[in-house]
Amino acid sequence: MLNQQMNTTLHAYIVLPMVLKVFKQDYTFFENGKSVARIVYLDKLDTVIASVQDDLAAVKKTTYNTYHMKVRNLGKQNGFIRYDWQTPNDSGDLLFTPEQLRDLTEDMMRLYLYGFLSREVTPSNRGWF
């Protein structure tokens, strides 16, 4: 049975790669944009992406080294996306609807953009033109 900390870590292990993927897509969108103000967004996304990558590395380390947990995405079955987890002493499944994963991803993105996981933005030396 998962304790609360293991459950939180497992959810972060599942959701953070999705958060990172969306932020990278956003980065590409702004990078290719024509607006002069895009520099502000790119600087913010640089900071956010670095923060998510740091947290994902820490979550993976905790998952493997502390909990000795293996996690697998077993794909979509009956409208649910199924994840399997195993520790040396226990195992289980997590089922999410696509909407649940989308909501979890959005919630986590908000935390990185302006919630308690946000970091101060370091301005870059990008030119405005």
Side-chain angles (χ1 to χ4, degrees):
M1 190 72 180
L2 292 175
N3 65 36
Q4 182 61 38
Q5 186 62 36
M6 289 172 75
N7 190 47
T8 301
T9 302
L10 179 58
H11 277 73
Y13 183 94
I14 292 168
V15 174
L16 281 175
M18 293 178 222
V19 169
L20 186 59
K21 182 179 179 180
V22 174
F23 280 135
K24 285 182 175 183
Q25 289 171 345
D26 290 349
Y27 187 92
T28 301
F29 173 80
F30 284 108
E31 187 176 43
N32 296 325
K34 304 287 187 221
S35 171
V36 174
R38 69 186 173 86
I39 301 303
V40 176
Y41 297 108
L42 290 173
D43 288 351
K44 177 68 174 177
L45 287 170
D46 281 340
T47 303
V48 168
I49 288 170
S51 182
V52 173
Q53 287 173 328
D54 291 347
D55 290 349
L56 181 57
V59 164
K60 285 183 175 182
K61 184 176 179 180
T62 300
T63 301
Y64 299 134
N65 295 342
T66 304
Y67 300 128
H68 310 289
M69 185 185 298
K70 294 179 185 177
V71 182
R72 295 182 301 168
N73 180 341
L74 300 178
K76 198 170 186 177
Q77 298 172 348
N78 301 323
F80 290 94
I81 300 166
R82 184 174 166 219
Y83 290 86
D84 171 70
W85 59 270
Q86 296 177 334
T87 64
N89 302 322
D90 204 1
S91 65
D93 287 348
L94 289 177
L95 299 174
F96 298 97
T97 65
E99 294 79 22
Q100 286 173 319
L101 283 177
R102 192 174 308 113
D103 290 346
L104 288 169
T105 302
E106 287 176 10
D107 291 345
M108 186 72 75
M109 289 176 71
R110 281 187 193 92
L111 294 177
Y112 280 99
L113 288 171
Y114 44 82
F116 77 93
L117 294 173
S118 67
R119 293 183 185 170
E120 185 174 337
V121 175
T122 305
S124 69
N125 292 325
R126 289 183 181 96
W128 283 89
F129 297 101

